[in-house]
Amino acid sequence: MTKPFLKPLAFAVSVALALTACGKQEQADQAAPAKSTTAAAPAAAGTAAAAAGAKKSVFDISELDTNLNACNDLNGFVNSKWVAANPIPDDRTRWGAFDQLAENSLNTQHEIVDAADKGAEQAQAGSIEQKIGWLYRSGMNEDAINKAGFEPLKPELDKIAALKNGGDVASFISKDYAEGNGYVFGFGSSPDFQDAKMQIGYANQAGLGLPTKDYYTDPKYAEIRTAYVAYIAKLLQLTGVSEADAKAQADQVLKFETQLAAASLAPVEERDPKNQYHFVTVKEANKVTPHFNWDTFFSDQGVKVEKGFSLSQPKFFAEFDKLLATAPIAQWQAYLRFHAIDDSANYLSQDFQDTKFGFYGQTLAGQPKQKPRWKRVLGAVNGEMGEALGQLYVNKVFKPEAKQRAEELVTNVRNALKARIENLDWMSAETKEKAIAKWNTFLPKIGYPDHWRDWADLKITPDNYYANAQAAAKFNYDYDIAKIGKPTDRKDWGMTPQTVNAYYNPTDNTINFPAAILQPPFFDASADDAINYGGIGAVIGHEASHGFDDEGAQFDGDGNNKDWWTKDDKAKFEARTDKLVQQFNDYAPLKDKPDLHVNGKLTLGENIADLGGLNVAYDALQAALKAHPDDAAQKVDGYTPDQRFFLNWARVWRGSVREKQAVLYLNTDPHAPSSLRAIGAPSNMEAFASAFQCKPGDAMVRSGDKQVKIW
């Protein structure tokens, strides 16, 4: 089921396990600029200390490339040696700091699910330990899964084959949605943009198998379209469709999706809250889709919609309705048949999994090898019982002192953000008052939920992977839509504790830091303040700054989509953010594709949060050093606290990515490439230039009209 509406604003592209091989990851490494003649940072002292046998620091300065200059390329200075020494594993499309942590988390989770499998018969009946053990066991039973082939999917395919007309299609979509099988559009619960204290239903555009609408028409993606049609045909053939018929059906699927794509929003358009919310009564919705009855849909879902819901993209739903009325039934069947197979491929025999990986993993993302089966099945466990697995993960690895220290850092960084807002020279007192009011209502959540989900009604067996996945899909869908018409629970989490990431949610004004990110290089209890503020402190600042980025600034402290700005202040804000758009528009991160640039509008929210978050974290570090002046004067490995702060920020973003995946991210992802995040914010900060004695004209020194200052 595709979750609708304004997505939580995450620190990085998700490194949680994806069920398909085209899951988003982090971004491409940037070509290092030429060496500068400006004096390099004082690495020699630290190198000498290390050579003399000094104890290894929490920041390993031997990884620094002292042939490069931080003032010219902070990312290259900090990360180029590591990247050269750490090639991307064959079963990944990228490799970096996030991925290493994710791999560590996976290994811990592997131990947990393996133990749950072995102890399932001795575990308490119906416990999460037993259900996770059985779910994992069923997924690892390759012999049974391969023997079943596509037999588990036949009832679904038979229902599709029995459709006679558009009315049958509408009924099928409605009833199948109630079973957790979403076709064409997404539906789920989220806070009402106009009354965020209450949950309403959201229906939103979906239904496409290619990354964005441009992939259906742009000549440069012609080869991908050809490969997509071949992929569709191959999946259909695996279910017994003849080669010729499969090719004909695949052509019809592409034609159908091309029509849907024409009515769909592009990624930049999707970021605009105005395109994410369109409240209608059920009667009004039925006028948009006269061939799809929303009274019937809500009745089938068991949902009571009193005042209305969000039909978020009316143009898309009008096209959906047009297709119900005009598309031949054979075309509808081909489209639904393909998506039924595609959605289930990871739970069917190996030939289905290999075929799906061949397109989404290899063709789109350039990944040489499929992940080992245990990782793929663990990804399914995360998708289906993620919070339950998180409960076991927290019990095994998360220490109370980490949460306590993180809470202290959150308080310090939040206070620094408040001070920055109060001291802005471009914002009026009237708007500042509203901004502080929003700041006052931030709800930080750290580590894991206060209350765990109840999984008692989820039925899992030890020997039927497909049935388990279907049961979990319905269980999770029912859990989600049961929130409609009820008060918003700000203590709900949108990420599991084992996820290496963090996020801000504008409709409940919460900042969220899962347990798995509270470890090096982000957080280290044994590290100096500079390292922690340059790591997790900047993450905290980033998420808090999302409350005031180009999207977050359109929501008030209660989570309502409400304009709290004066007209003059909004104009000043947009003038400043336009400069940040231009900064990132100018970046072309792929050496072999110099005409492919970052989309500054698409990545604006994350870039605002990086710039604001790093400034806020730096201020919090200065407050900590002021309280402990002896620390402020102390170098570690030859580097000052200010230098170590920026060094750790850059280290967080180390990594490399395969070119195909990098292209995909540039087209679809709201996060800029990681190498650019390492340098983008620091290059706008006078504190960075001062810390490394950079000079005007150095690549990492943006000055005059090019320097961006927002929060």
Side-chain angles (χ1 to χ4, degrees):
M1 193 275 293
T2 302
K3 183 75 172 178
F5 130 101
L6 185 61
K7 297 176 182 177
L9 302 166
F11 181 60
V13 186
S14 176
V15 291
L17 283 169
L19 297 185
T20 60
C22 59
K24 293 179 179 177
Q25 303 282 316
E26 266 299 343
Q27 300 260 3
D29 196 43
Q30 184 192 26
K35 296 179 185 178
S36 169
T37 55
T38 306
T47 305
K55 183 180 178 181
K56 187 175 180 179
S57 163
V58 294
F59 187 101
D60 185 359
I61 62 168
S62 70
E63 294 178 341
L64 299 177
D65 187 347
T66 55
N67 292 316
L68 297 176
N69 190 295
C71 293
N72 209 39
D73 178 18
L74 177 64
N75 178 62
F77 176 67
V78 175
N79 296 323
S80 61
K81 282 178 66 176
W82 185 94
V83 168
N86 291 272
I88 303 170
D90 284 346
D91 68 345
R92 287 182 174 269
T93 60
R94 49 157 267 181
W95 189 244
F98 280 90
D99 306 278
Q100 285 185 310
L101 286 187
E103 190 75 10
N104 293 340
S105 177
L106 284 181
N107 289 331
T108 300
Q109 294 170 53
H110 191 195
E111 294 172 3
I112 293 169
V113 296
D114 193 52
D117 173 13
K118 292 174 181 175
E121 276 63 42
Q122 291 73 45
Q124 181 179 344
S127 64
I128 59 172
E129 289 86 352
Q130 184 179 72
K131 291 179 180 181
I132 286 172
W134 280 354
L135 177 57
Y136 182 71
R137 182 189 302 176
S138 69
M140 292 300 293
N141 191 345
E142 292 183 80
D143 290 342
I145 293 168
N146 287 333
K147 184 178 180 180
F150 73 97
E151 194 70 27
L153 189 60
K154 282 185 177 179
E156 185 78 355
L157 297 178
D158 288 344
K159 286 191 288 183
I160 293 169
L163 302 175
K164 303 297 184 186
N165 51 50
D168 288 351
V169 171
S171 178
F172 168 79
I173 290 172
S174 181
K175 293 183 184 302
D176 235 50
Y177 229 119
E179 297 304 313
N181 301 319
Y183 293 98
V184 187
F185 60 88
F187 182 74
S189 67
S190 279
D192 186 342
F193 273 26
Q194 298 304 316
D195 181 15
K197 293 181 180 179
M198 296 299 296
Q199 295 276 311
I200 63 169
Y202 282 75
N204 71 303
Q205 69 177 47
L208 303 180
L210 291 176
T212 72
K213 63 185 298 178
D214 289 346
Y215 280 76
Y216 289 90
T217 55
D218 195 316
K220 66 186 176 185
Y221 302 123
E223 289 185 6
I224 289 178
R225 287 194 293 276
T226 299
Y228 184 49
V229 169
Y231 164 62
I232 297 169
K234 180 67 180 297
L235 277 190
L236 292 171
Q237 286 180 259
L238 291 176
T239 63
V241 179
S242 71
E243 182 177 352
D245 191 18
K247 175 62 168 66
Q249 289 190 45
D251 288 338
Q252 287 300 307
V253 172
L254 181 66
K255 182 179 178 181
F256 185 95
E257 290 189 9
T258 300
Q259 290 179 256
L260 276 182
S264 300
L265 299 175
V268 170
E269 296 171 314
E270 284 190 275
R271 288 195 66 245
D272 188 345
K274 295 182 180 65
N275 291 328
Q276 300 165 359
Y277 178 84
H278 181 72
F279 192 85
V280 293
T281 64
V282 174
K283 184 177 180 180
E284 289 169 337
N286 286 336
K287 289 181 180 179
V288 177
T289 61
H291 299 92
F292 187 85
N293 190 291
W294 291 95
D295 293 285
T296 301
F297 177 78
F298 291 126
S299 176
D300 286 341
Q301 312 315 302
V303 170
K304 290 183 179 180
V305 175
E306 296 179 358
K307 294 180 180 179
F309 69 106
S310 176
L311 193 70
S312 300
Q313 297 87 25
K315 180 182 175 183
F316 174 87
F317 284 95
E319 185 64 26
F320 161 55
D321 188 77
K322 178 183 175 183
L323 288 166
L324 284 174
T326 62
I329 188 61
Q331 187 179 43
W332 265 109
Q333 288 173 316
Y335 170 79
L336 294 170
R337 187 177 293 121
F338 160 63
H339 281 283
I341 303 167
D342 178 67
D343 289 347
S344 302
N346 289 311
Y347 304 98
L348 302 177
S349 53
Q350 191 64 44
D351 47 357
F352 287 90
Q353 298 170 53
D354 291 344
T355 301
K356 184 161 189 171
F357 171 73
F359 178 70
Y360 286 110
Q362 293 178 318
T363 300
L364 273 184
Q367 182 175 321
K369 291 184 180 179
Q370 203 166 176
K371 291 181 184 296
R373 183 161 189 88
W374 73 264
K375 287 186 179 180
R376 287 181 275 137
V377 176
L378 185 52
V381 175
N382 269 285
E384 290 147 16
M385 293 189 68
E387 188 174 303
L389 178 57
Q391 189 172 347
L392 303 183
Y393 175 87
V394 167
N395 290 341
K396 182 178 177 69
V397 302
F398 193 57
K399 299 178 180 178
E401 52 266 31
K403 184 169 185 174
Q404 180 181 351
R405 177 60 177 144
E407 287 171 345
E408 294 171 4
L409 289 167
V410 167
T411 298
N412 295 343
V413 173
R414 284 188 65 225
N415 288 340
L417 174 59
K418 182 181 181 182
R420 288 192 78 86
I421 294 171
E422 291 172 335
N423 292 318
L424 288 174
D425 59 6
W426 59 268
M427 182 180 281
S428 69
E430 180 181 351
T431 304
K432 282 183 183 179
E433 183 179 354
K434 302 285 181 58
I436 295 300
K438 180 170 186 175
W439 177 90
N440 280 326
T441 59
F442 271 141
L443 175 64
K445 296 183 292 188
I446 298 169
Y448 54 88
D450 291 341
H451 303 287
W452 298 104
R453 274 184 66 180
D454 183 357
W455 299 86
D457 292 335
L458 174 59
K459 306 303 179 187
I460 297 293
T461 66
D463 55 5
N464 194 326
Y465 192 38
Y466 180 90
N468 286 339
Q470 187 62 53
K474 177 171 173 52
F475 177 80
N476 288 317
Y477 175 64
D478 288 345
Y479 173 81
D480 180 53
I481 63 173
K483 299 174 184 178
I484 294 173
K486 296 179 181 177
T488 297
D489 183 358
R490 296 180 75 202
K491 294 187 177 181
D492 267 356
W493 279 69
M495 279 183 183
T496 62
Q498 63 271 28
T499 301
V500 183
N501 215 328
Y503 72 97
Y504 169 76
N505 191 338
T507 55
D508 63 16
N509 202 28
T510 61
I511 49 178
N512 307 264
F513 308 97
I517 202 170
L518 300 175
Q519 54 184 318
F522 297 98
F523 172 74
D524 189 332
S526 65
D528 51 296
D529 279 341
I531 293 295
N532 281 328
Y533 278 104
I536 195 64
V539 176
I540 296 165
H542 174 101
E543 300 309 336
S545 295
H546 265 312
F548 305 98
D549 70 14
D550 62 315
E551 283 187 277
Q554 298 182 56
F555 292 81
D556 65 15
D558 293 324
N560 297 313
N561 184 205
K562 183 178 179 181
D563 188 0
W564 45 270
W565 294 70
T566 66
K567 185 177 179 180
D568 184 56
D569 287 337
K570 177 58 70 72
K572 291 176 181 177
F573 175 70
E574 291 176 349
R576 290 167 183 267
T577 61
D578 284 347
K579 290 168 64 175
L580 195 58
V581 169
Q582 188 57 55
Q583 176 183 343
F584 279 83
N585 278 344
D586 288 341
Y587 291 131
L590 300 179
K591 226 186 308 187
D592 295 334
K593 295 183 181 294
D595 294 331
L596 184 57
H597 288 247
V598 175
N599 187 328
K601 288 289 288 183
L602 179 60
T603 59
L604 179 58
E606 298 301 328
N607 298 333
I608 293 172
D610 278 354
L611 180 57
L614 195 60
N615 271 293
V616 166
Y618 179 80
D619 288 354
L621 171 63
Q622 300 313 303
L625 294 175
K626 186 176 181 180
H628 301 91
D630 290 344
D631 292 341
Q634 185 176 3
K635 290 184 177 182
V636 178
D637 294 332
Y639 289 90
T640 67
D642 280 16
Q643 289 172 331
R644 288 171 64 77
F645 171 85
F646 289 108
L647 292 177
N648 201 40
W649 165 258
R651 178 172 65 161
V652 162
W653 298 114
R654 67 173 32 160
S656 54
V657 65
R658 300 187 190 280
E659 185 177 276
K660 284 186 177 181
Q661 185 70 81
V663 171
L664 187 61
Y665 293 156
L666 288 170
N667 291 334
T668 63
D669 194 72
H671 301 82
S674 58
S675 58
L676 299 180
R677 297 182 74 176
I679 66 173
S683 69
N684 284 302
M685 295 175 62
E686 292 161 1
F688 171 80
S690 176
F692 288 92
Q693 299 90 49
C694 302
K695 299 175 181 178
D698 285 340
M700 287 292 300
V701 180
R702 299 178 67 85
S703 56
D705 290 342
K706 289 189 175 182
Q707 186 180 43
V708 185
K709 294 182 179 180
I710 304 174
W711 296 106

